[in-house]
Amino acid sequence: MPEIVPGIHQLRVPIPDNPLGFLNSYLVRGRDGWLMVDTGWNEEASFQSLKDQLGGLGIGFGDITRIIVTHIHADHYGLAGRIKEHSPANLLMHEAERPFIQSRYVNYEGLMARMGVIFHRHGVPDSELPRLQGASLPVLGFVEPTWPEILLKGGETISTGFFDLQVIWTPGHSSGHVCLYETKARILFSGDHILPVITPNISYHAESTANPLGDYVRALHRIESLPVDLVLPAHEQVFTGLKERIKAILDHHASRKQAILDTIRDEPRTAYDISGRIPWETMGVPWEKLSAFTKRAAVTETLAHLLDMEEEGMVRTVQANTVARWERVSAR
Ligand SMILES: [Zn+2]
Ligand SMILES: [Zn+2]
């Protein structure tokens, strides 16, 4: 468990069953206890590993006084409830994330119905609809719902006495995602907003913003001018070269937009149809054989690109009955 700089530790929390393998939790020293950034998900292996790694540092759960989750995806937030049972910690998150606790992890039937409407409108065939609708249900088992004591808006500075963490609201990957910028050490806790290798999933769904990719790109530009020496992401490894990484992510989305445009060169298509025609990094697994979870991610990511392209005036929908098809604006 490396000490990144004196007073900031990285904990590698295993998240079994997830292709990412690990969640990076960070511990920040404070005058009145430790502040934890992201937790791992609620599974015994994750909890025990976290406990062992803390023990190796001579820290117990009782020494954690604040937990900030960058967003409420299960791998970041799932263990927060259990840690709070063993500690005096207050939980902090962006105010836009709070409602999702109820709608995703407590009463999720309404959300599933709303996703069904979106999938139908965007061309998911009836035969596939239930499978895609229920594809995110397995994460429920990895979360112990707990509510935040303190809500963040972005712009505030959280001081531990040793470190000052500026909260930067970075919607896109999730509506209330936040990054934390430590001004003196010039360290950025980037959550899932920026990872060194994988491009974060940006999806349009029932609880995303109206144009999540547009928001995401604006949020990338919001942090690209920060003087950052080191980026501490929530997955993969610590890295330098924030500006170059942002540029690579922007290029990735530009080329995906081009790939989408190519599929509708000759005729309008639904988002589902487009998703099956653009190249994905699926290790050679054909579209028909993709898991429901991967297919769902492909459709919602395609939609995120289409909605951003719609805002840019590149595409628009033509609606027949209840199904929307996308066409190029320049095609006419
Ligand atoms: Zn996430
Ligand atoms: Zn994550």
Side-chain angles (χ1 to χ4, degrees), residues 233-255:
H235 303 283
E236 303 177 327
Q237 65 282 353
V238 168
F239 67 102
T240 57
L242 175 67
K243 283 189 180 63
E244 292 73 19
R245 184 60 194 139
I246 290 176
K247 166 95 173 54
I249 292 173
L250 292 171
D251 287 349
H252 163 85
H253 290 295
S255 59

Side-chain angles (χ1 to χ4, degrees), residues 5 7 10 35 51 55 154 165 169 178 196 216 237 253 274 297 299 324:
V5 295
Q10 183 190 57
L35 180 151
K51 191 174 169 183
L165 303 171
W169 182 34
V178 293
Y216 177 70
Q237 65 282 353
H253 290 295
I274 294 168
V299 174

